[in-house]
């Protein structure tokens, strides 16, 4: 990396284009696609990056500082550099790679406060793009940029901040609509009349794929037990990864439709069913995900999304309602572009209609360095949710509980390209910085299936939920094996769902409102065997009583009543 960086610094500006198209450029791109930049920088590397940043911060055009930018890219993400991208003239030979760098979503954050720094940077970037598209809608450059965003950009990392995301996600929706209109998409639509007032309510459910993952398991209760005398039910997906679940879903509904790859054909296919209601049951944070562009269209008379799968507002003009549990409502409801419909409780339900594939591993506590006397804290929160502030909180807990270890299972199948080794090295290094033996943190490699994760959870003593982006998708499994769960309640819906599930189970004592109370509750559970047994018994008792999080039949009934209440037969919805 240093050799390539120095190569750029020593090249005259007029030779950069040729060198970038040859071996040096190929090596540069290989390094950019590797996970090297997520390794902790040495002191000399930090000093080197500071020198590069100082040069980039000097006045002048980016084109005149290309050597420093190319070198710095190998060590930093764009939000970590003083980039004056506004109105910058970027060489044509570098334009696409510069956009990729500028909009790159960090795989994970290494330092405290980086989440908020990134959030501020990214919101400012999207605001800049949206303003220029509004001012210069016929410009080829801004049309190209809108297309780039529609195909490449992820907004997922914004969920890790506690910022109000309404403005940035509304701007995102406007940029994507601009792109759709440029390529000839008909976003709005008026639907023909249904046959008669006696006709069943025709309702569709849109999922990305049918698989043994939370998104599907949380989508199924929406339609699993809908009254088929009142509703005609259609499920749309792009892929069936789990054939048994696919067959089960097909048996629950009138029709399971696998959508084509072409966006206009997807739109035409769904519109051909003349739906009264369409419920979006997938997260659209990544614009490259097919549902992200599809859901911007008017596909049904009424369109809804659920907070269980959409952690913040969709901000899509054609999504009319967002279904939220009343226990997860944020203090400021103006954060939503949609009208809110509240369900009693957490608003979260999961269904496990098909047994997971058999476990392929037989973990033992001793393989983690634990003895019978050890206290095992575990979390299966996805790695990108484990931000530096959360890592530090967990380390404080381990420090406070003698003979304790932290076992993480942060890598699921969808995280195949995650920088696993840098993540592992970073968290071990942080343990060392706090004077704690880094053998007291264990990071489990990605396991074959959900049953393997449950096998590991069965060996734990206490489960730690993530915050500020709570990991409700990972919460049901530790509860199913009877683990006491500690969650922290924040200000946003995305930071309140796990807490809401515990409150719904009538175990509010396991919900913390601050870092201190989170640490205190975790430490008390870790040092008091009787307290652990008490809460394990309460969790097991609550989960054995068919709680709301597992009562798919009641959830379907609740959703059905909601569908009947809304103006589903109106010809169109205008906001």
């Amino acid at each position: 990396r240093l050799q390539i960086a120095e190569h750029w610094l020593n090249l005259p500006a007029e030779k950069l284009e040729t060198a970038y198209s040859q071996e040096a450029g190929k090596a540069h791109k290989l390094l950019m696609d590797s996970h090297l930049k997520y390794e902790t920088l040495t002191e000399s590397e930090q000093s080197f990056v500071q020198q590069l940043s100082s040069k980039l911060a000097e006045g002048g055009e980016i084109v005149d500082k290309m050597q420093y930018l190319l070198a710095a890219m190998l060590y930093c993400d764009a939000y970590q550099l003083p980039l004056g991208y506004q109105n910058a003239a970027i060489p044509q030979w570098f334009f696409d790679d510069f956009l990729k760098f500028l909009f790159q979503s960090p795989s994970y954050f290494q330092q405290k406060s980086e989440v908020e720094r990134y959030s501020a940077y990214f919101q400012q970037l999207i605001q800049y793009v949206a303003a220029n598209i509004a001012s210069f809608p016929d410009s080829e450059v801004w049309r190209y940029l809108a297309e780039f965003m529609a195909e490449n950009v992820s907004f997922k990392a914004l969920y890790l901040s506690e910022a109000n995301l309404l403005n940035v996600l509304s701007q995102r929706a406007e940029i994507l609509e601009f792109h759709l209109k440029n390529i000839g998409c008909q976003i709005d639509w008026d639907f023909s009349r249904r046959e008669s007032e006696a006709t069943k309510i025709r309702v569709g459910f849109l999922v990305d794929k049918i698989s043994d993952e939370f998104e599907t398991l949380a989508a199924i209760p929406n339609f699993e037990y809908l009254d088929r005398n009142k509703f005609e039910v259609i499920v749309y997906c792009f892929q069936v990864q789990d054939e048994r679940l696919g067959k089960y879903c097909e048996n629950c509904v009138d029709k399971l439709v696998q959508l084509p790859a072409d966006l206009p054909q997807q739109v035409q296919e769904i519109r051909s069913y003349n739906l009264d209601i369409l419920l979006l049951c997938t997260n659209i944070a990544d614009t490259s995900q097919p549902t992200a562009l599809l859901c911007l269209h008017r596909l049904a008379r009424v369109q809804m999304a659920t907070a269980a799968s959409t952690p913040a507002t969709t901000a899509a003009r054609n999504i009319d309602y967002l279904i939220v549990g009343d226990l997860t409502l944020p203090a400021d409801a103006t954060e939503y572009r949609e009208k809110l419909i509240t369900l009693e409780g957490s608003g979260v339900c999961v269904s496990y209609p098909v047994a997971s594939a058999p476990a392929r591993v037989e973990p033992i506590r001793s393989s983690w360095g634990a003895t019978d006397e050890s206290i095992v804290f575990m979390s299966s929160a996805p790695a990108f949710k484990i931000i530096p502030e959360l890592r530090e909180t967990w380390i404080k807990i381990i420090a406070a509980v003698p003979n304790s270890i932290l076992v993480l299972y942060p890598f699921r199948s969808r995280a195949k390209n995650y920088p696993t080794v840098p993540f592992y090295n970073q968290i071990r290094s942080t343990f060392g910085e706090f004077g704690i033996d880094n053998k007291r943190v264990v990071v489990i490699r990605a396991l074959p299936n959900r049953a393997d994760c449950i096998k590991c959870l069965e060996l734990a003593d206490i489960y730690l939920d993530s915050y500020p982006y709570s990991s409700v998708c990972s919460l049901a499994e530790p509860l199913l094996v009877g683990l006491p769960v500690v969650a922290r309640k924040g200000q946003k819906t995305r930071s309140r769902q796990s807490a809401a599930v515990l409150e719904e189970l009538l175990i509010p004592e396991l919900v913390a409102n601050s870092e201190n109370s989170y640490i205190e509750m975790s430490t008390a559970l870790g040092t008091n065997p009787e307290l652990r047994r008490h809460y394990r018994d309460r969790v097991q008792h609550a989960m054995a009583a068919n709680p709301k999080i597992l009562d798919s039949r009641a959830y379907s009934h609740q959703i059905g009543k909601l569908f009947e209440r809304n103006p589903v037969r109106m010809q169109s919805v205008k906001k």
Side-chain angles (χ1 to χ4, degrees):
R1 176 167 63 179
L2 182 59
Q3 287 177 335
I4 297 297
E6 289 181 337
H7 178 71
W8 297 132
L9 294 175
N10 291 325
L11 268 183
E14 64 272 13
K15 293 187 176 181
L16 284 175
E17 179 178 358
T18 301
Y20 195 75
S21 67
Q22 297 176 346
E23 292 305 313
K26 292 177 184 178
H28 178 94
K29 292 175 185 179
L30 283 173
L31 286 169
M32 289 293 294
D33 291 336
S34 75
H35 298 144
L36 186 59
K37 73 165 63 175
Y38 294 108
E39 293 283 1
T40 303
L41 299 181
T42 64
E43 287 188 13
S44 61
E45 287 172 334
Q46 291 177 31
S47 176
F48 181 53
V49 169
Q50 185 56 51
Q51 293 173 36
L52 297 173
S53 294
S54 297
K55 288 292 185 180
L56 289 172
E58 293 176 358
E61 293 286 338
I62 284 182
V63 69
D64 298 322
K65 299 179 281 189
M66 286 295 300
Q67 294 98 324
Y68 303 108
L69 175 58
L70 286 166
M73 287 171 66
L74 299 171
Y75 293 86
C76 301
D77 282 321
Y79 75 94
Q80 297 169 316
L81 295 170
L83 287 179
Y85 58 79
Q86 293 90 344
N87 302 317
I90 308 299
Q92 188 65 41
W93 57 267
F94 185 60
F95 191 70
D96 282 351
D97 288 339
F98 181 70
L99 288 185
K100 182 179 176 182
F101 177 65
L102 202 62
F103 287 91
Q104 181 69 45
S105 178
S107 293
Y108 83 97
F109 294 93
Q110 301 180 61
Q111 304 294 327
K112 291 173 67 175
S113 301
E114 277 197 336
V115 168
E116 300 308 325
R117 181 180 175 187
Y118 167 78
S119 177
Y121 159 84
F122 197 73
Q123 290 190 62
Q124 185 178 37
L125 175 62
I126 300 303
Q127 182 179 6
Y128 171 72
V129 174
N132 277 279
I133 285 175
S135 298
F136 310 105
D138 298 323
S139 165
E140 184 179 345
V141 170
W142 295 110
R143 284 173 175 254
Y144 184 84
L145 205 68
E147 180 182 8
F148 175 87
M149 283 188 58
E151 295 175 353
N152 299 284
V153 179
S154 171
F155 285 67
K156 184 172 65 173
L158 289 179
Y159 295 155
L160 296 169
S161 82
E162 296 202 80
N164 183 334
L165 301 181
L166 176 60
N167 286 341
V168 65
L169 294 180
S170 296
Q171 290 161 354
R172 167 192 187 267
E174 290 162 6
I175 292 168
L176 297 184
E177 277 207 23
F178 172 76
H179 167 67
L180 291 175
K181 289 174 182 175
N182 287 340
I183 61 175
C185 292
Q186 189 168 357
I187 297 173
D188 297 307
W189 190 257
D190 289 324
F191 290 88
S192 60
R193 286 190 178 276
R194 295 290 306 280
E195 292 81 359
S196 72
E197 287 298 314
T199 304
K200 294 178 183 178
I201 298 173
R202 186 175 293 165
V203 57
F205 299 85
L206 179 61
V207 297
D208 181 50
K209 59 180 179 287
I210 295 177
S211 65
D212 190 21
E213 294 179 1
F214 174 79
E215 194 167 273
T216 300
L217 303 178
I220 290 173
N222 289 285
F223 58 78
E224 190 172 12
Y225 295 107
L226 279 183
D227 187 345
R228 303 281 284 282
N229 293 317
K230 296 180 178 179
F231 299 99
E232 181 183 351
V233 185
I234 303 147
V235 169
Y236 304 92
C237 69
F238 297 93
Q239 189 179 8
V240 177
Q241 289 186 347
D242 189 305
E243 292 296 334
R244 295 176 305 155
L245 265 180
K247 183 62 66 176
Y248 179 82
C249 291
E250 195 170 10
N251 291 335
C252 289
V253 301
D254 294 280
K255 193 164 187 180
L256 176 65
V257 178
Q258 199 158 336
L259 294 168
D262 181 67
L263 178 61
Q265 290 180 11
Q266 294 164 10
V267 173
Q268 183 179 3
E269 177 73 19
I270 296 178
R271 283 176 176 166
S272 71
Y273 286 87
N274 202 11
L275 295 172
D276 292 309
I277 299 174
L278 179 68
L279 182 64
L280 179 69
C281 301
T282 186
N283 190 349
I284 58 170
D286 288 328
T287 55
S288 58
Q289 187 169 315
T291 45
L293 296 179
L294 183 57
C295 78
L296 293 172
H297 294 77
R298 173 58 65 183
L299 303 169
R301 292 171 176 79
V302 174
Q303 292 176 195
M304 304 180 177
T306 71
S309 58
T310 305
T313 178
T314 66
R317 180 171 56 87
N318 281 317
I319 301 293
D320 308 296
Y321 299 99
L322 184 68
I323 302 171
V324 184
D326 60 9
L327 292 177
T328 71
L329 283 173
D332 186 2
T334 62
E335 295 187 12
Y336 294 90
R337 187 171 184 175
E338 311 86 351
K339 295 177 182 177
L340 296 185
I341 300 177
T342 55
L343 299 180
E344 185 179 341
S346 68
V348 177
C349 185
V350 290
S351 177
Y352 299 94
V354 175
S356 177
R360 300 184 193 175
V361 299
E362 288 292 339
I364 53 176
R365 285 167 61 106
S366 61
S367 68
W368 302 334
T371 66
D372 291 340
E373 291 74 35
S374 298
I375 304 301
V376 176
F377 289 92
M378 181 175 282
S379 183
S380 56
F384 91 97
K385 292 185 179 182
I386 305 175
I387 63 174
E389 288 82 351
L390 179 60
R391 293 201 293 266
E392 187 170 306
T393 299
W394 286 350
I395 289 171
K396 291 175 182 176
I397 293 167
I398 298 302
V401 180
N403 202 25
S404 65
I405 65 170
L406 175 63
V407 178
L408 303 177
Y409 171 47
F411 308 122
R412 303 235 175 182
S413 58
R414 66 180 64 185
K416 289 179 180 176
N417 296 322
Y418 194 85
T420 54
V421 173
F423 174 87
Y424 175 70
N425 291 338
Q426 178 83 26
I427 199 163
R428 282 169 58 90
S429 173
T430 309
F431 264 66
E433 291 170 11
F434 278 77
I436 302 172
D437 188 346
N438 58 25
K439 292 180 181 178
R440 293 178 68 184
V441 60
V442 177
V443 180
I444 300 174
R445 294 176 183 271
L447 297 172
N449 56 53
R450 187 167 54 83
D452 295 303
C453 181
I454 291 173
K455 283 280 189 182
C456 294
L457 287 166
E458 289 172 343
L459 300 178
D461 298 296
I462 302 152
Y463 186 86
L464 300 176
D465 186 49
S466 62
Y467 72 80
Y469 186 3
S470 67
S471 195
V472 68
C473 59
S474 307
L475 193 68
E477 290 158 2
L479 290 172
L480 282 168
V481 302
L483 281 179
V485 171
V486 182
R488 179 176 170 183
K489 188 173 186 176
Q491 299 302 311
K492 311 296 181 186
T493 296
R494 59 187 177 274
S495 62
R496 298 168 75 91
Q497 287 185 329
S498 293
V501 170
L502 292 174
E503 292 169 347
E504 194 174 64
L505 293 173
L506 302 180
I507 320 177
E509 304 94 317
L510 296 178
V511 176
N513 293 311
S514 66
E515 181 192 27
N516 285 341
S517 58
Y518 184 96
I519 293 171
E520 288 168 4
M521 172 54 69
S522 303
T523 302
L525 288 168
T527 54
N528 189 330
E530 291 185 6
L531 192 65
R532 280 200 305 279
R533 281 193 293 270
H534 169 74
Y535 282 110
R536 183 181 281 272
D537 289 345
R538 286 183 61 180
V539 168
Q540 290 174 341
H541 178 76
M543 296 301 288
N546 194 30
K548 285 185 177 181
I549 191 175
L550 298 178
D551 193 349
S552 184
R553 190 176 296 277
Y555 192 85
S556 290
H557 179 74
Q558 201 174 12
I559 291 293
K561 290 295 184 185
L562 183 157
F563 288 163
E564 289 182 273
R565 283 201 311 268
N566 282 282
V568 297
R569 288 185 174 86
M570 62 199 303
Q571 281 298 96
S572 63
V573 176
K574 297 187 183 297
K575 305 195 78 169

